[in-house]
Amino acid sequence: MARSTGKTERSLEQMYDNDPERTDAAVSGHGPGTSRRGFLGGVGLAAVGVAAGGTMPFGRHMPAGILPTALAQDKKSTPAAAKGPIHLDFPGKDKGLVVLGERPLVAETPEHLLDDDTTPIDKFFIRNNGQLPDEAKDPDKWTIKIDGEVNNPFEITLGELKSKYKPQTLRMVLECGGNGRSFYAPRASGNQWTNGGAGCAEWTGVRLADVLKTAGVKPSGIYTAHYAADLHLSGDADKPVISRGVRMPKAMEPECMIVWAMNGQPLPNVHGGPVRLIIPGWPGSASQKWLTRIWVRDKEHDGPGMTGTSYRVAINPMVPGDKADPKNFRILESMPVRSIITAPASGTRLAAGTRNVALRGASWAGDLTVRRVDVSIDYGQSWQEAKLSDPRNRFDWQRWTTNVKLPSDGYYEIWSRATDSEGKTQPHVAANWNPSGYGGNPFHRIAVLVG
Ligand SMILES: Nc1nc2c(c(=O)[nH]1)N[C@H]1C(S)=C(S)[C@@H](COP(=O)(O)O)O[C@H]1N2
Ligand SMILES: [Mo]
């Protein structure tokens, strides 16, 4: 934790010195060292109060079974946490990004680095499933093939795409389908995203619908299938790394785009440059990077990433940790509502006597909009509504601000929760467990120490 409180660590250390096994089990909740955000077991509130530096003004409201955020972030909470986050070292990227996987390279953006209205390229998360292709030497000669259930299959270069179609620029959220996965208990398999598998950039390109119209989609063309130039980790050049697609009505939405620029810059190689798809609102995996082909199909696409429980969620709730019945799964389409607090950073220590704290954040809701964002400083006993901005265009995120008044010095958790335009609110904990952990969107919680 970058700006953690010395007090917190000392006290936790004391707890570990006294009874390391019990403390570890209590902090992780699932036996020593199994979960980063487990449940509070044998350690009573008094001990947590000590660990958190003494005073928890709303400690009496803290729900049973919730691990204080300060403890969840503490270095001693699990062996993985003890090593601390691995920070990204990649050309053009902020060193504050956290590496979730090195082969393939996956890195997320801590919430406090998502504080800009438009996420700068250097802070934008990275999700690869295979090896990056080499940088294109002549981007305008890059070709994309459109074929399958169309009347006029054709190939087009990026140069032609830029000159033959009307370009547009939209600011839109791109979010990994697995965002929030780390909040599931028991642990769901895959990259352990917190909330940082998302960003909101300005994308410049052409409407996918315009290109599909030129090809003339036949009535039988009901689904897209996306292909790309990245290399499978096995080195087998014939194996697609990932190939997903969407139902035709989604592909035809005016915001679904083939893009070549990000925040006004040529699309960087790591983000799929020179040219990629952006399918906003749906899992990021549909937004094929290094796009080479769109195959229009007469049935639901079945490429890598489309079958089994990949990018699918349970239709009827399943017992957490149980074996999945593939028949009980549907493709995850619109992403769920989410809010994050982007300032202050979790772990911030404020000067003694601080009573007013200005909060800033972002919220978004897949295909929907966000109706309201509320924050709580007393573990959800009471909520106050934040000031919420309108999206600039569909699929833009909505920034929010508010001020909270703290009654005294002490340890606080500040929680945020968003409600979408259909009235669905983020749950207290990640709900609807599924083996690959899609749809985890609990409240965002930060820890702040005053004094
Ligand atoms: N060709 C290709 N496209 C891809 C991927 C990939 O591995 N290969 N990953 C997908 C996933 S899972 C996500 S979340 C987004 C991430 O885009 P970014 O790395 O630009 O943030 O790209 C998608 N497009
Ligand atoms: Mo993803």
Side-chain angles (χ1 to χ4, degrees):
M1 190 160 57
R3 271 177 283 173
S4 84
T5 65
K7 260 188 189 166
T8 305
E9 274 163 29
R10 254 200 320 280
S11 305
L12 252 195
E13 249 157 59
Q14 283 163 6
M15 289 165 70
Y16 272 92
D17 286 349
N18 294 343
D19 189 348
E21 231 167 273
R22 190 160 160 266
T23 307
D24 204 32
V27 165
S28 71
H30 302 284
T34 48
S35 167
R36 206 145 52 94
R37 285 178 188 72
F39 294 91
L40 191 64
V43 174
L45 257 189
V48 173
V50 171
T55 327
M56 293 178 79
F58 293 110
R60 68 186 183 283
H61 296 319
M62 192 170 71
I66 280 286
L67 176 63
T69 296
L71 292 190
Q73 291 178 334
D74 192 274
K75 288 211 286 279
K76 292 252 174 120
S77 60
T78 66
K83 278 191 257 143
I86 303 165
H87 288 285
L88 183 65
D89 184 9
F90 191 89
K93 284 292 179 180
D94 192 294
K95 291 196 165 41
L97 265 62
V98 174
V99 174
L100 302 182
E102 299 191 82
R103 203 187 125 82
L105 180 63
V106 181
E108 77 167 335
T109 317
E111 293 91 346
H112 69 275
L113 292 183
L114 291 171
D115 198 34
D116 300 276
D117 289 352
T118 303
T119 309
I121 290 174
D122 68 321
K123 295 191 175 74
F124 208 92
F125 80 98
I126 300 172
R127 168 59 164 134
N128 297 312
N129 291 269
Q131 270 168 264
L132 298 188
D134 291 336
E135 191 113 12
K137 289 207 181 63
D138 195 347
D140 282 347
K141 294 222 169 78
W142 185 279
T143 60
I144 300 168
K145 180 158 89 179
I146 319 288
D147 65 350
E149 302 297 311
V150 295
N151 293 315
N152 321 297
F154 66 96
E155 275 191 15
I156 187 163
T157 66
L158 176 53
E160 290 165 336
L161 204 64
K162 288 175 181 170
S163 63
K164 289 191 176 160
Y165 293 89
K166 192 167 161 269
Q168 65 181 20
T169 299
L170 296 174
R171 190 170 71 191
M172 300 190 288
V173 172
L174 179 68
E175 180 174 26
C176 182
N179 204 22
R181 180 179 289 134
S182 68
F183 304 121
Y184 277 108
R187 182 189 162 105
S189 64
N191 295 295
Q192 295 298 300
W193 301 101
T194 61
N195 287 304
C200 189
E202 286 180 2
W203 308 101
T204 301
V206 297
R207 290 180 179 179
L208 173 59
D210 289 349
V211 176
L212 290 173
K213 272 174 210 152
T214 311
V217 176
K218 294 179 182 170
S220 55
I222 61 161
Y223 224 90
T224 61
H226 314 150
Y227 289 89
D230 46 345
L231 242 182
H232 199 272
L233 290 177
S234 65
D236 183 343
D238 296 330
K239 260 195 193 167
V241 171
I242 185 168
S243 175
R244 303 200 60 238
V246 296
R247 289 185 286 112
M248 197 52 71
K250 177 67 183 176
M252 290 296 188
E253 285 185 352
E255 298 86 3
C256 287
M257 293 165 72
I258 303 178
V259 308
W260 58 78
M262 183 176 184
N263 297 348
Q265 304 293 314
L267 188 64
N269 181 46
V270 70
H271 292 299
V275 62
R276 76 176 300 172
L277 280 174
I278 293 291
I279 306 289
W282 289 26
S285 50
S287 295
Q288 196 83 14
K289 307 202 274 190
W290 312 290
L291 182 69
T292 55
R293 178 186 179 204
I294 295 172
W295 176 28
V296 177
R297 302 199 59 179
D298 60 4
K299 58 174 190 181
E300 187 179 289
H301 184 40
D302 53 2
M306 289 299 295
T307 55
T309 58
S310 293
Y311 301 102
R312 283 172 191 251
V313 287
I315 297 163
N316 296 312
M318 58 181 291
V319 179
D322 245 11
K323 232 183 126 235
D325 170 9
K327 285 195 296 294
N328 184 36
F329 279 73
R330 64 166 177 88
I331 293 176
L332 172 59
E333 296 189 331
S334 178
M335 291 292 290
V337 61
R338 188 181 306 276
S339 65
I340 54 173
I341 301 165
T342 61
S346 193
T348 295
R349 184 172 196 164
L350 300 166
T354 304
R355 293 294 174 265
N356 273 302
V357 184
L359 306 180
R360 278 195 304 275
S363 57
W364 60 94
D367 282 345
L368 304 178
T369 54
V370 176
R371 178 189 291 172
R372 60 185 285 163
V373 170
D374 298 273
V375 300
S376 177
I377 58 165
D378 57 7
Y379 302 95
Q381 292 288 300
S382 64
W383 294 87
Q384 81 180 50
E385 192 171 354
K387 190 168 164 270
L388 182 65
S389 71
D390 289 330
R392 199 193 264 180
N393 50 256
R394 196 172 171 216
F395 302 111
D396 186 17
W397 63 13
Q398 290 167 257
R399 306 296 309 188
W400 59 265
T401 54
T402 195
N403 282 288
V404 289
K405 270 202 166 33
L406 307 180
S408 62
D409 287 0
Y411 170 88
Y412 290 89
E413 291 204 5
I414 302 174
W415 295 4
S416 76
R417 69 163 197 219
T419 303
D420 71 24
S421 48
E422 289 181 349
K424 271 202 179 138
T425 298
Q426 288 178 262
H428 198 133
V429 294
N432 296 322
W433 189 93
N434 56 93
S436 304
Y438 298 110
N441 67 334
F443 308 160
H444 183 208
R445 299 161 52 194
I446 65 165
V448 169
L449 189 65
V450 182

